[in-house]
């Protein structure tokens, strides 16, 4: 039943003395007004803003520097103040969209003015200013739009910093962890956690790549995200950090399977004492936590975080870890009759088989034969696993 | 209403920052110090260079004996160039280092980015970030690039710099 229907119906209920007026109010409150129109209005605002900006862009070269300054400053203040006014007096959504445009104008102004006056920049500092502006807007309006925009700006800035200056911008990552992390913990909605977790993975990968830190440190960063999950996300909610962390470490292991055999990587993995200290501290902590937790099966996840790169046959060990992970989830899934675990195990098992097959057979098998045999193998495997899985579902259904 | 005041302040701050970026460029003419640098011939990489010419400076090519940097650098690291006025009024390189050098009266310090080193000629290449001189549109063809020139540079006390003229 929608709100309008309820309002009509409940009037009768009050007249027939089924419910009281107060109860009616409470019931109606349960069906909040849907906001369809503002979405269209938001798009309208964004389109007008874009139209305005592209108009300026196409006439840009005909303007003098002072004329350009004038346009940038007027549009910046115009969108900010107009947005603020609309936000307070008319529609919150439209106001937010206008202010979002102002934020974008601010960022592009920094770069345009820098270009006009031939600024040389030694770091991604403009992105830091821009992201701070986004963060402050969040504080003012408490609207998640600015949360996501700030994450996007920081991510873009960090990528830019890595590509152009080969360096990691520490202040931007501090704003990410301390500022946005704080918002994320306070608000704690699923999409925010998802975006924040993904942003975190991007940051640590860029940190490792641009600062020349050995790649295996990623393992500790991923493990950290895994552990933090318990503290940030309440029980019963989707453990999105854990999922992201497991997904990332899975990709890392896949890379290890393919590249750890190379001699070059062997040199990279020397002198890793600090890594092992940090890793051991985190790992022991994670093991203790999983031992204390009510579900005794989550230690299987931790298998993936075992560092195997120091061994000469680290690629093989990585593969074994992946297989063990898949099989353990499959087995415990069957034993405990948890369909979700079985699904997870099946999926990982299929992928791992594929990886192993690729790694072992690609070099010495004829290409067409390679794909043909691989296809048949996956068919057989998925048939077998699917059959097993169905029996579980049936078993679960009878219970 | 109190929150609104902060919001206006926040908008004003952004406007001030952008204005500052613009004003500092013009203020350089008043407060800056003008130095003259020699450029070296450049092979024009782009035949359609359009509205700017590419410049490279003599001081950007640093011979080994003036390279006072201990450790190997990675591309993009900051290098400070200590320059001194020669008798011909052109500033020449005294020393390049990664720590800010003390400059005497006739000396100035320029910051640059490390680019690469060539072990066969024992030279280090840095970039002072003034490699483009913007000229009137489409007069680029009149500028012969394979020629030594002198460029007048303004250095602001707040470490900003710009090219004034190229002769």
């Amino acid at each position: 039943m929608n709100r309008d229907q309820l309002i009509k119906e409940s009037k009768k209920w009050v007249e027939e003395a089924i419910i009281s007026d107060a109860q009616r109010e409470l019931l109606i409150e349960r069906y909040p007004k849907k906001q369809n129109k503002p979405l269209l209005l938001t798009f309208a605002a964004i389109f007008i803003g874009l139209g305005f900006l592209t108009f300026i862009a196409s006439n840009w070269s005909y303007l003098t520097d002072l004329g350009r300054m004038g346009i940038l400053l007027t549009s910046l203040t115009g969108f900010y103040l107009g947005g603020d006014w609309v936000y307070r007096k008319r529609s919150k959504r439209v106001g937010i969209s206008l202010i979002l445009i102002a934020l974008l104008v601010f960022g592009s102004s920094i770069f345009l003015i820098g270009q006009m006056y031939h600024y040389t920049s030694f770091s991604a500092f403009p992105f830091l200013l821009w992201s701070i502006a986004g963060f402050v807007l969040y504080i003012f309006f408490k609207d998640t739009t600015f949360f996501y925009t700030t994450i996007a700006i920081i991510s873009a800035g960090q990528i830019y910093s890595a590509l152009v200056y080969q360096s990691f911008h520490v202040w931007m990552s501090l704003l990410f962890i301390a500022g946005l992390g704080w918002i994320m913990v306070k608000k704690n909605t699923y999409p925010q956690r998802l975006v924040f977790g993904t942003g975190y993975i991007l940051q640590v990968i860029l940190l490792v790549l641009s600062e020349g830190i050995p790649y295996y440190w990623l393992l500790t960063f991923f493990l950290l995200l895994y552990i933090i999950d318990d503290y940030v996300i309440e029980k019963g909610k989707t453990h999105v950090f854990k999922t992201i962390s497991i997904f990332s470490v899975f990709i890392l292991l896949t890379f290890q399977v393919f590249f750890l055999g190379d001699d070059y990587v062997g040199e990279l993995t020397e002198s890793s004492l600090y890594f092992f200290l940090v890793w051991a501290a985190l790992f022991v902590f994670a093991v203790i936590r999983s031992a204390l937790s009510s579900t005794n099966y989550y230690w299987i996840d931790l298998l993936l975080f075992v560092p195997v790169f120091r061994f000469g046959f680290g690629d093989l060990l990585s593969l074994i870890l992946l297989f063990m992970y898949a099989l353990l989830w499959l087995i415990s899934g069957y034993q405990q009759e948890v369909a979700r675990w079985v699904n997870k195990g099946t999926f990982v098992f299929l992928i791992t088989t594929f990886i192993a097959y690729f790694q072992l057979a690609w070099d010495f098998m004829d290409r067409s034969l390679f794909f043909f045999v691989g296809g048949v193998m996956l068919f057989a495997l998925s048939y077998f696993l699917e059959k097993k899985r169905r029996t579980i579902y049936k078993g679960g259904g009878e219970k | 209403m109190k929150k609104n005041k902060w919001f206006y302040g926040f908008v004003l701050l952004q406007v001030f920052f952008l204005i500052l970026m613009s004003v500092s460029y013009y203020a350089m003419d008043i407060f800056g110090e003008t130095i003259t640098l020699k450029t070296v011939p450049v092979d024009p990489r782009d035949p359609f260079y359009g509205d700017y010419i590419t410049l490279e400076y003599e001081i950007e090519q640093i011979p080994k004996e003036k390279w006072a940097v201990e450790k190997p650098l990675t591309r993009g690291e900051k290098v400070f160039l200590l320059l001194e006025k020669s008798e011909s009024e052109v500033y020449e390189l005294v020393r390049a280092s990664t720590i800010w050098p003390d400059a005497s009266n006739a000396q100035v310090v320029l910051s640059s980015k490390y680019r690469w080193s060539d072990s066969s000629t024992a030279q280090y290449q840095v970039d002072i970030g003034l490699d483009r001189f913007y000229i009137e549109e489409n007069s680029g063809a009149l500028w012969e690039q394979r020629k030594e020139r002198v460029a007048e540079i303004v250095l602001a006390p707040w470490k900003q710099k710009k090219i004034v003229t190229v002769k």
Side-chain angles (χ1 to χ4, degrees):
Chain A
M1 197 187 294
N2 66 30
R3 187 185 164 92
D4 292 340
Q5 273 178 318
L6 185 74
I7 289 174
K8 254 188 231 164
E9 285 287 306
S10 58
K11 208 173 181 183
K12 282 184 218 158
W13 302 343
V14 175
E15 281 160 13
E16 291 166 21
I18 298 172
I19 54 171
S20 73
D21 232 356
Q23 280 172 327
R24 184 191 172 212
E25 292 293 314
L26 282 175
L27 276 175
I28 290 175
E29 254 175 46
R30 288 196 150 207
Y31 296 81
K33 258 188 199 166
K34 277 198 187 137
Q35 303 208 324
N36 287 327
K37 262 192 222 156
L39 190 67
L40 272 183
L41 282 174
T42 306
F43 274 109
I46 288 176
F47 267 57
I48 289 170
L50 283 179
F52 178 70
L53 290 179
T54 46
F55 175 74
I56 295 173
S58 60
N59 291 299
W60 193 246
S61 53
Y62 302 112
L63 295 166
T64 60
D65 282 351
L66 283 179
R68 291 172 184 179
M69 279 302 291
I71 285 180
L72 289 178
L73 294 179
T74 346
S75 52
L76 181 75
T77 38
F79 278 115
Y80 265 134
L81 299 183
D84 180 50
W85 184 80
V86 173
Y87 181 84
R88 279 182 291 121
K89 302 273 153 106
R90 306 275 153 169
S91 146
K92 294 210 161 174
R93 278 286 3 127
V94 178
I96 291 294
S97 331
L98 288 174
I99 289 167
L100 178 65
I101 291 173
L103 178 65
L104 298 183
V105 170
F106 175 61
S108 30
S109 296
I110 301 178
F111 291 102
L112 284 171
I113 294 173
Q115 198 188 27
M116 265 154 60
Y117 296 118
H118 318 309
Y119 270 80
T120 45
S121 151
F122 288 96
S123 70
F125 180 70
F127 280 98
L128 175 68
L129 277 183
W130 195 5
S131 53
I132 288 175
F135 181 69
V136 173
L137 281 177
Y138 178 84
I139 307 236
F140 278 137
F141 294 96
K142 300 275 184 293
D143 192 288
T144 46
T145 311
F146 297 122
F147 176 83
Y148 297 123
T149 315
T150 311
I151 287 196
I153 294 170
I154 289 180
S155 302
Q158 211 62 274
I159 291 173
Y160 176 82
S161 177
L163 288 180
V164 179
Y165 306 110
Q166 285 84 41
S167 75
F168 184 73
H169 204 284
V170 180
W171 293 105
M172 240 170 356
S173 72
L174 275 181
L175 178 66
F176 179 81
I177 299 290
L180 297 169
W182 170 67
I183 296 173
M184 193 264 317
V185 171
K186 256 181 78 183
K187 300 283 283 191
N188 223 345
T189 65
Y190 174 75
Q192 277 181 327
R193 290 194 298 257
L194 180 69
V195 172
F196 185 84
T198 318
Y200 171 83
I201 297 292
L202 179 79
Q203 298 264 331
V204 294
I205 289 176
L206 287 172
L207 170 68
V208 164
L209 286 182
S210 49
E211 291 298 312
I213 296 169
Y215 85 96
Y216 48 76
W217 278 93
L218 284 175
L219 213 54
T220 55
F221 288 122
F222 295 164
L223 185 55
L224 189 66
L225 185 69
Y226 187 87
I227 294 173
I228 283 176
D229 184 282
D230 283 336
Y231 293 94
V232 173
I233 297 166
E234 305 118 71
K235 280 214 173 102
K237 291 207 173 151
T238 324
H239 287 281
V240 63
F241 281 1
K242 279 194 174 146
T243 314
I244 292 173
S245 164
I246 290 293
F247 184 73
S248 312
V249 81
F250 185 87
I251 307 259
L252 188 73
L253 280 170
T254 311
F255 270 100
Q256 286 191 347
V257 170
F258 284 111
F259 297 114
L260 219 50
D262 296 352
D263 293 337
Y264 168 69
V265 181
E267 282 168 30
L268 273 183
T269 56
E270 280 166 14
S271 70
S272 40
L273 176 68
Y274 287 114
F275 163 77
F276 275 105
L277 286 178
V278 176
W279 175 83
L282 288 174
F283 195 74
V284 168
F285 184 74
V287 168
I288 292 172
R289 268 208 68 94
S290 94
L292 292 177
S293 83
S294 50
T295 37
N296 284 320
Y297 289 88
Y298 280 95
W299 62 269
I300 300 174
D301 280 350
L302 296 177
L303 261 186
L304 291 179
F305 293 100
V306 173
V308 291
F309 58 86
R310 275 309 286 266
F311 300 100
F313 44 102
D315 44 356
L316 185 66
L317 284 176
S318 307
L319 200 60
I320 291 174
L321 279 185
L322 288 176
F323 268 122
M324 276 169 67
Y325 176 78
L327 285 175
L328 282 169
W329 276 123
L330 268 176
I331 292 166
S332 29
Y334 285 130
Q335 275 180 354
Q336 303 291 312
E337 304 195 340
V338 181
R340 197 160 46 86
W341 295 358
V342 175
N343 283 344
K344 177 156 71 174
T346 311
F347 181 69
V348 176
F349 192 77
L350 282 178
I351 299 226
T352 310
T353 313
F354 192 67
I355 292 169
Y357 179 64
F358 221 100
Q359 164 73 349
L360 300 174
W362 178 261
D363 286 337
F364 57 86
M365 235 160 134
D366 181 61
R367 291 290 170 270
S368 49
L369 192 67
F370 170 86
F371 285 118
F372 186 69
V373 174
V376 171
M377 230 170 74
L378 283 180
F379 240 127
L381 200 63
S382 70
Y383 172 76
F384 171 74
L385 289 172
E386 185 63 19
K387 213 172 131 191
K388 267 303 248 178
R389 200 169 66 89
R390 268 165 209 246
T391 56
I392 274 287
Y393 272 110
K394 266 185 202 155
E398 279 161 15
K399 262 187 175 180
Chain B
M1 211 58 287
K2 199 180 160 211
K3 184 190 128 190
N4 233 346
K5 222 164 48 187
W6 284 105
F7 177 73
Y8 292 141
F10 166 71
V11 174
L12 216 60
L13 217 60
Q14 292 177 44
V15 171
F16 269 142
F17 174 74
L18 295 179
I19 289 179
L20 198 70
M21 275 182 85
S22 159
V23 166
S24 74
Y25 183 79
Y26 299 109
M28 266 194 280
D29 291 333
I30 305 169
F31 301 104
E33 185 179 355
T34 310
I35 64 167
T36 317
L37 292 179
K38 220 182 224 167
T39 71
V40 291
V42 181
D43 276 331
R45 275 160 292 181
D46 179 9
F48 306 102
Y49 27 79
D51 57 352
Y52 65 87
I53 52 169
T54 312
L55 295 175
E56 271 179 36
Y57 300 86
E58 212 176 55
I59 56 159
E60 285 180 328
Q61 300 167 349
I62 302 167
K64 206 179 169 192
E65 57 272 16
K66 290 182 181 172
W67 187 253
V69 179
E70 306 283 306
K71 54 180 174 40
L73 296 183
T74 55
R75 196 188 152 84
E77 271 188 78
K78 264 195 178 184
V79 176
F80 299 107
L81 311 177
L82 183 65
L83 308 180
E84 197 174 60
K85 203 187 211 173
S86 70
E87 281 149 21
S88 58
E89 297 290 297
V90 173
Y91 277 73
E92 277 166 6
L93 182 72
V94 181
R95 178 158 50 85
S97 59
T98 44
I99 17 178
W100 185 265
D102 294 322
S104 67
N105 257 343
Q107 294 178 325
V108 290
V109 181
L110 259 185
S111 53
S112 68
K113 274 188 278 188
Y114 176 69
R115 285 169 77 194
W116 40 264
S117 69
D118 185 349
S119 52
S120 66
T121 56
Q123 262 192 358
Y124 295 86
Q125 188 80 30
V126 297
D127 178 16
I128 60 171
L130 293 170
D131 54 351
R132 285 180 181 188
F133 180 57
Y134 291 82
I135 51 180
E136 248 175 77
E137 216 160 328
N138 297 325
S139 61
L142 302 172
W143 285 79
E144 175 57 54
Q145 299 236 336
R146 293 165 174 278
K147 212 177 126 187
E148 277 187 27
R149 301 175 183 282
V150 283
E152 257 180 38
I153 314 280
V154 173
L155 301 178
W158 53 92
K159 282 165 211 157
Q160 207 181 340
K161 55 194 178 237
K162 68 172 173 183
I163 309 171
V164 187
T165 53
V166 177
K167 277 177 252 175

